Amino acid sequence: MTAAERTPGAPRRRGRRPGGADTRATLLEAARAEFAERGYEGATVRVIAERAGVDPAMVNHWFGGKETLFTAALDMPLDPKALIADLLPGDPDGLGERIVLRFLTIWDHTGGGRRLAALVRSVASHDVAARMMRQFVGMFVRRVVSSVAPDQVELRSALCASQLVGLGMVRYVLELEPLASADHPTVVAAIAPTMQRYLTGSLG
Amino acid sequence: MTAAERTPGAPRRRGRRPGGADTRATLLEAARAEFAERGYEGATVRVIAERAGVDPAMVNHWFGGKETLFTAALDMPLDPKALIADLLPGDPDGLGERIVLRFLTIWDHTGGGRRLAALVRSVASHDVAARMMRQFVGMFVRRVVSSVAPDQVELRSALCASQLVGLGMVRYVLELEPLASADHPTVVAAIAPTMQRYLTGSLG
């Protein structure tokens, strides 16, 4: 429900609810609405907590902060800060390889297929999810790409996203062989050079 | 309804229905069921027409044949025979470029976004659609790839599919800029080398 849709004069949930089994779900719902309306930068933990009718401390309790809340709201099984801290150090020419390997590790180990299929359905069905996914790429992918890209950071980010999304679709959702069950070294050898060119190579 | 699910003794639709406004839709529905149950090779125009309760001549009238019926059932806006006839002639080293350009032309000109989003939702929601899409890649993509690939035709086909699916998702479904509105030369320059490596290059 957006502010505009709220009936004028209708009571707004302001009471603090105790942290409990449904607090996490309520927070996620409020976060999705708030991120969709205001974007990642505009949304605040305070307003999301207020919208959910819980204490802001609950956000840190359940999610550790705004970034993790955002990826949880997208149902992405990752911690952006940890991910960036893992990926960036090291040879810039090996970043493509590190990204592909990390992508495979994350999705292989978290029931990739069903979870990714749900995410894809959501992105293809709802503007809110598509907008959140654009924000995700705009923030996290862009942050990783800009650490090594010599120019055209936006285009390089979108290109990296295109190959990762396509790999996810083919391996986990379509389950197209031999990519669906290929081992990590095979997939990395084939796809890492593509990622590396999108990161640091010539785009033509 | 599969043959096994049909109640024994229940009447089977065998009567010919006149060709009309709903014949096309009925044929598409029967085709999806038949392709899903028997696969592309196992399905026949005769059985699909019988299942739809129409004359087999109607299939040729509405679709021109089994291949076109198949892509229509997948809601892919293309004629596989014409596509292959267009793509294959010419320099094998330019095939990656021809594929990317053709992909953009087809989806840009057929209301790409909505149509592709519907296809993606369907593939991510229904096993039948995912199975049909695997068959599509197995037949048409494989046929194009095998015309130039020195080896590993299956892997190369899946890799080509991954980059095309990802480009479609990012440009038309996520609408991620600058890829969403980049002109054809920009997209081709960035992505054609990837396709070409997947077609004929070293996979590591």
Side-chain angles (χ1 to χ4, degrees):
Chain A
M1 188 167 72
T2 66
E5 286 162 358
R6 205 179 284 122
T7 312
R12 233 182 123 157
R13 279 192 307 196
R14 279 190 183 276
R16 303 295 189 204
R17 291 205 269 166
D22 67 340
T23 302
R24 190 174 184 280
T26 309
L27 268 171
L28 284 177
E29 199 190 319
R32 285 188 194 105
E34 196 65 17
F35 285 130
E37 284 172 30
R38 307 198 193 286
Y40 180 81
E41 297 302 336
T44 67
V45 164
R46 190 186 55 73
V47 172
I48 290 169
E50 181 179 304
R51 192 164 187 149
V54 305
D55 193 284
M58 283 292 110
V59 173
N60 289 319
H61 171 71
W62 283 101
F63 299 101
K66 182 170 150 185
E67 287 194 334
T68 325
L69 176 60
F70 180 75
T71 53
L74 259 176
D75 200 22
M76 300 273 279
L78 47 86
D79 175 343
K81 264 187 198 148
L83 191 63
I84 287 173
D86 264 17
L87 288 174
L88 293 201
D91 182 4
D93 293 334
L95 182 56
E97 188 172 319
R98 296 199 292 282
I99 292 173
V100 175
L101 189 56
R102 178 50 69 102
F103 182 89
L104 294 171
T105 310
I106 288 173
W107 289 104
D108 276 8
H109 292 179
T110 50
R114 277 187 203 186
R115 201 156 179 177
L116 199 60
L119 183 62
V120 164
R121 274 197 302 276
S122 165
V123 164
S125 309
H126 308 295
D127 277 352
V128 167
R131 212 176 313 153
M132 285 184 68
M133 185 59 81
R134 278 197 294 274
Q135 288 177 32
F136 174 81
V137 176
M139 287 191 306
F140 299 113
V141 178
R142 196 184 181 292
R143 208 183 302 170
V144 173
V145 173
S146 65
S147 74
V148 298
D151 55 17
Q152 295 180 277
V153 168
E154 307 295 338
L155 180 58
R156 292 177 186 278
S157 300
L159 289 166
C160 287
S162 81
Q163 180 60 83
L164 288 179
V165 167
L167 172 59
M169 285 288 294
V170 162
R171 183 175 174 92
Y172 302 108
V173 181
L174 278 174
E175 297 181 40
L176 193 67
E177 294 296 358
L179 261 188
S181 45
D183 60 14
H184 290 187
T186 303
V187 181
V188 168
I191 291 186
T194 298
M195 292 299 289
Q196 195 61 46
R197 189 170 65 81
Y198 292 162
L199 288 165
T200 56
S202 159
L203 300 183
Chain B
M1 190 168 69
T2 67
E5 287 163 356
R6 207 177 281 124
T7 312
R12 235 181 124 159
R13 278 194 307 197
R14 280 191 183 275
R16 304 292 189 207
R17 292 206 268 166
D22 67 340
T23 302
R24 192 174 183 279
T26 310
L27 268 171
L28 284 176
E29 198 189 319
R32 285 188 194 105
E34 195 66 16
F35 285 130
E37 283 172 29
R38 306 198 194 287
Y40 180 80
E41 296 303 335
T44 66
V45 165
R46 191 185 54 73
V47 173
I48 289 170
E50 182 178 303
R51 192 165 187 149
V54 305
D55 193 285
M58 283 293 110
V59 173
N60 289 320
H61 171 72
W62 284 101
F63 299 101
K66 182 170 151 184
E67 288 193 334
T68 324
L69 176 60
F70 180 76
T71 52
L74 258 176
D75 200 21
M76 300 272 278
L78 48 86
D79 175 344
K81 264 187 198 148
L83 191 62
I84 287 172
D86 265 15
L87 288 173
L88 292 201
D91 182 2
D93 293 335
L95 182 56
E97 188 173 318
R98 296 198 292 279
I99 291 172
V100 175
L101 189 56
R102 178 50 69 103
F103 182 89
L104 293 171
T105 309
I106 288 173
W107 289 104
D108 276 7
H109 292 178
T110 51
R114 275 185 204 187
R115 200 156 181 178
L116 199 61
L119 183 62
V120 164
R121 275 197 300 277
S122 164
V123 164
S125 310
H126 307 295
D127 277 352
V128 167
R131 213 176 312 152
M132 284 184 68
M133 186 58 81
R134 279 197 294 275
Q135 289 176 32
F136 174 81
V137 176
M139 288 190 307
F140 299 113
V141 179
R142 196 184 181 292
R143 208 185 300 170
V144 173
V145 173
S146 66
S147 74
V148 298
D151 54 17
Q152 295 178 275
V153 169
E154 307 295 338
L155 180 58
R156 291 177 187 278
S157 300
L159 289 166
C160 287
S162 81
Q163 180 59 84
L164 288 180
V165 167
L167 172 60
M169 285 288 293
V170 163
R171 183 175 173 92
Y172 302 108
V173 181
L174 278 174
E175 298 181 38
L176 192 67
E177 294 295 359
L179 260 189
S181 46
D183 60 14
H184 291 187
T186 302
V187 181
V188 168
I191 291 185
T194 298
M195 292 298 289
Q196 195 61 46
R197 189 171 65 81
Y198 291 162
L199 287 165
T200 56
S202 160
L203 300 183

